[in-house]
Amino acid sequence: MVQPQFKESTIVIIDTGRRTITAGRGLHELLPAPTVVLQARVGLRASDASRFRQGDGMAVDGQQPSSSTPPKGLRPSNYLVGQQLDEAIAAGEELEVWWPFEDGKIGDWVQAEALWKHVLFHRLHLRRTLNEFPVLLGLPKPLSIPSYELLAQLFFERFNVAAFSVNDRPVLQLFAANQISGIVVDIDDDYTDFSPVVEGELVREGFPSKSVSIGLQDCLRHLANVFSTNANIVNIISPSTNPLSQDALQATLLRLAEHIFNEGHVNPLAASAAPATAAVAAAEEDDASANLASILVAGKEKALIEASSKKKAAARGVAEREKEKERQALDLIDIEFEGVKLTLGKERHRMCEPLLDGEWVKMMIRQGLKDEMTTMVLPEAINLLLGSISDLRSRSAVCDAVQVTGKMSRVKTLATALVSQLTFFVPRDPIDLGNPTNPMAPEIRKAFTPAKVPEYFANYRDTGDGFAGFLGASIVAKLTFNDPTGRFLSKADYAAKGPSAISELM
């Protein structure tokens, strides 16, 4: 059946991550950035949760933790989402909060519906009755066929979409970087996901994806701890005349770490560079041997004063230039933070150590703060992932590119720092396997290449690869919904075949 075609102004993109949903409506020549950025969480007031649980006959022992099972019988409209939830949290209300996509799958279908409904009808202001908007949805991890069928049923029957396409988010992220094969390293608040992609498809054998329990929050806490060892920083933030409590000091240092991260002052490539030892040159003293008496007799005192002033000014200029060279060598920056001025050095670049430094991981495991089974540095996790791919050509293709996405992609040199540690883990090129005649041939080993969103996507220059999933989804949607043979399910096909029609596209 020939598929319908849609105006680009009606196409809706929903990129769903573990903790963030980005969305937008309408495509044009310069692909727009998302107009909706939403935390992928829902909330329920503790009083409402207790009432529902009592109706279910469930025991109520006070407020339930955020990881508790939600009450039965809830509808999407019972949940607080978006601004409503933000305001309730800011007001200090007793709430239960859930993140339905936190494990990369759909943990609760009612909560997922509440979030997507909020995006479509409250944030994008679409009208359910018109049935005019096709939706392309990106998801963090592959689902089972029954789950895809439930997804199709939800979007066609509850949201009344005109057409529906669902895609693997890592593939979309890689497309945004003009790559069809590589490893996508998606770093969120508490997790990092690794997804191998070959020719536009997730690798399904071995580990189709690998996750470790290290993320942005670990990096921020680590940087705060690094700052706590700097006496100058601590003395300025917590002066002896008005010292902060230990908890208040740690919270302030954590905010400082967030400020440094948000301002783009972190460069992991500079973290291991030894500081230079340039010294500030002292200004030369005036020549004490001048015969002041003879100068005064000759009436040249004015010329002497002018010459002395020029000499001192030149000396000051030399000293300032030397001082600036020293600052550059020491990589010093001056910042203003919460009303105080701070000078920071290379220690700020250590923020990424939890992702790259095996000693940090070992220390966390020894202290019982991390689980040995789920915690490892990024290079080790990638090595494990590559080893699980038995097909050598696929393994070689995966090594074409490494793309760092998610919140940590704001550190623009992180991908390069990661690639620099992957040289030991690159597999042999399958073309050269079994050919020992020239073991030094350059084809024997392939080099990883950092991949990122190109600069010519003007609307994404300031976001790093944080919105790569949305951009990739926009590119795919532009091709998919304008193609009569596009890979999407139309409303007519769904009406004729039912939810199982989606399985033909997966």
Side-chain angles (χ1 to χ4, degrees):
M1 180 183 293
V2 177
Q3 298 280 49
Q5 292 179 270
F6 298 93
K7 295 180 180 178
E8 291 187 348
S9 60
T10 66
I11 295 173
V12 173
I13 307 297
I14 304 177
D15 177 41
T16 304
R18 282 178 179 263
R19 292 210 158 209
T20 306
I21 296 175
T22 55
R25 180 188 181 185
L27 304 173
H28 48 73
E29 211 55 41
L30 290 176
L31 296 173
T35 56
V36 175
V37 180
L38 177 73
Q39 292 196 74
R41 63 184 182 182
V42 299
L44 194 63
R45 291 186 173 89
S47 57
D48 292 337
S50 298
R51 177 166 51 85
F52 277 104
R53 287 195 174 97
Q54 286 173 344
D56 295 337
M58 297 175 65
V60 180
D61 298 320
Q63 185 179 356
Q64 301 289 323
S66 61
S67 59
S68 64
T69 302
K72 297 177 182 178
L74 289 174
R75 304 181 63 181
S77 57
N78 295 131
Y79 285 108
L80 300 175
V81 181
Q83 185 176 352
Q84 276 189 328
L85 179 55
D86 295 341
E87 291 173 352
I89 292 173
E93 294 187 37
E94 288 189 51
L95 300 165
E96 294 184 29
V97 178
W98 294 271
W99 302 78
F101 309 112
E102 189 168 28
D103 66 350
K105 301 293 183 71
I106 301 176
D108 186 288
W109 285 89
V110 178
Q111 294 173 359
E113 181 180 350
L115 284 164
W116 289 326
K117 176 183 176 183
H118 177 79
V119 168
L120 290 170
F121 304 120
H122 295 276
R123 298 296 298 274
L124 296 178
H125 308 291
L126 301 173
R127 296 173 63 185
R128 191 196 312 260
T129 55
L130 293 183
N131 181 229
E132 65 177 3
F133 54 93
V135 172
L136 189 143
L137 177 70
L139 291 176
K141 293 183 179 180
L143 303 178
S144 64
I145 292 299
S147 293
Y148 283 122
E149 293 176 358
L150 281 173
L151 205 56
Q153 188 174 5
L154 173 64
F155 273 82
F156 281 112
E157 298 184 16
R158 301 286 291 174
F159 301 150
N160 195 30
V161 300
F164 182 62
S165 177
V166 59
N167 293 261
D168 295 321
R169 189 168 185 254
V171 175
L172 300 176
Q173 291 170 319
L174 204 57
F175 283 169
N178 280 350
Q179 299 288 334
I180 60 172
S181 299
I183 297 177
V184 179
V185 183
D186 191 35
I187 307 174
D188 212 310
D189 281 321
D190 302 304
Y191 296 93
T192 298
D193 295 325
F194 306 85
S195 302
V197 178
V198 174
E199 295 184 359
E201 297 287 340
L202 273 178
V203 177
R204 305 284 177 171
E205 68 157 329
F207 303 124
S209 64
K210 174 71 179 172
S211 299
V212 297
S213 57
I214 301 177
L216 169 62
Q217 294 305 316
D218 292 298
C219 296
L220 291 174
R221 286 190 291 267
H222 174 64
L223 185 56
N225 289 334
V226 170
F227 287 152
S228 70
T229 64
N230 187 316
N232 291 331
I233 294 176
V234 173
N235 290 337
I236 294 173
I237 290 177
S238 179
S240 58
T241 55
N242 186 24
L244 299 175
S245 68
Q246 188 60 38
D247 288 345
L249 174 60
Q250 195 62 28
T252 303
L253 292 174
L254 185 59
R255 293 196 300 275
L256 173 61
E258 292 173 349
H259 176 78
I260 294 301
F261 168 68
N262 291 330
E263 292 298 315
H265 294 315
V266 177
N267 177 12
L269 294 176
S272 59
T277 57
V280 179
E284 295 180 0
E285 298 291 335
D286 291 335
D287 187 358
S289 62
N291 190 334
L292 295 179
S294 61
I295 292 175
L296 290 172
V297 170
K300 296 180 179 180
E301 65 273 12
K302 184 177 180 181
L304 174 66
I305 294 171
E306 290 177 351
S308 177
S309 298
K310 290 179 180 179
K311 190 174 183 180
K312 288 179 180 179
R316 284 196 300 271
V318 170
E320 289 174 0
R321 287 194 295 273
E322 290 298 325
K323 186 176 181 179
E324 183 59 30
K325 288 180 181 179
E326 181 187 29
R327 287 180 59 83
Q328 292 177 359
L330 295 174
D331 200 3
L332 300 177
I333 59 169
D334 295 321
I335 66 165
E336 288 193 12
F337 169 71
E338 297 187 357
V340 298
K341 293 184 178 181
L342 297 170
T343 298
L344 303 178
K346 288 182 181 292
E347 70 266 22
R348 69 186 187 274
H349 301 312
R350 295 179 57 192
M351 177 179 169
C352 298
E353 285 181 352
L355 302 172
L356 303 171
D357 184 3
E359 292 304 315
W360 181 89
V361 170
K362 292 176 183 177
M363 180 181 68
M364 292 292 105
I365 293 173
R366 283 197 305 268
Q367 295 177 0
L369 300 175
K370 289 290 183 181
D371 181 4
E372 186 175 6
M373 300 301 295
T374 61
T375 309
M376 63 184 71
V377 290
L378 272 55
E380 183 182 354
I382 291 175
N383 184 36
L384 183 63
L385 185 63
L386 289 174
S388 72
I389 302 173
S390 61
D391 182 76
L392 294 176
R393 293 189 182 277
S394 295
R395 191 189 301 180
S396 180
V398 166
C399 298
D400 283 350
V402 174
Q403 181 190 24
V404 173
T405 63
K407 295 182 178 180
M408 283 294 292
S409 65
R410 298 185 64 156
V411 181
K412 297 186 182 299
T413 58
L414 178 55
T416 304
L418 174 58
V419 165
S420 70
Q421 296 195 24
L422 292 177
T423 52
F424 301 103
F425 305 136
V426 179
R428 287 177 177 270
D429 193 304
I431 296 174
D432 295 300
L433 286 174
N435 179 18
T437 56
N438 185 9
M440 300 303 292
E443 292 81 14
I444 282 183
R445 285 187 177 272
K446 294 180 63 176
F448 286 90
T449 302
K452 63 178 183 178
V453 172
E455 288 289 323
Y456 54 73
F457 289 112
N459 294 318
Y460 293 84
R461 287 174 185 162
D462 298 329
T463 61
D465 283 38
F467 291 154
F470 183 87
L471 173 58
S474 300
I475 295 170
V476 171
K478 198 175 181 72
L479 300 173
T480 298
F481 291 121
N482 283 326
D483 184 354
T485 61
R487 185 174 166 270
F488 65 88
L489 183 61
S490 67
K491 182 76 170 183
D493 283 345
Y494 179 81
K497 302 177 182 178
S500 61
I502 194 75
S503 62
E504 299 175 7
L505 303 177
M506 308 316 299

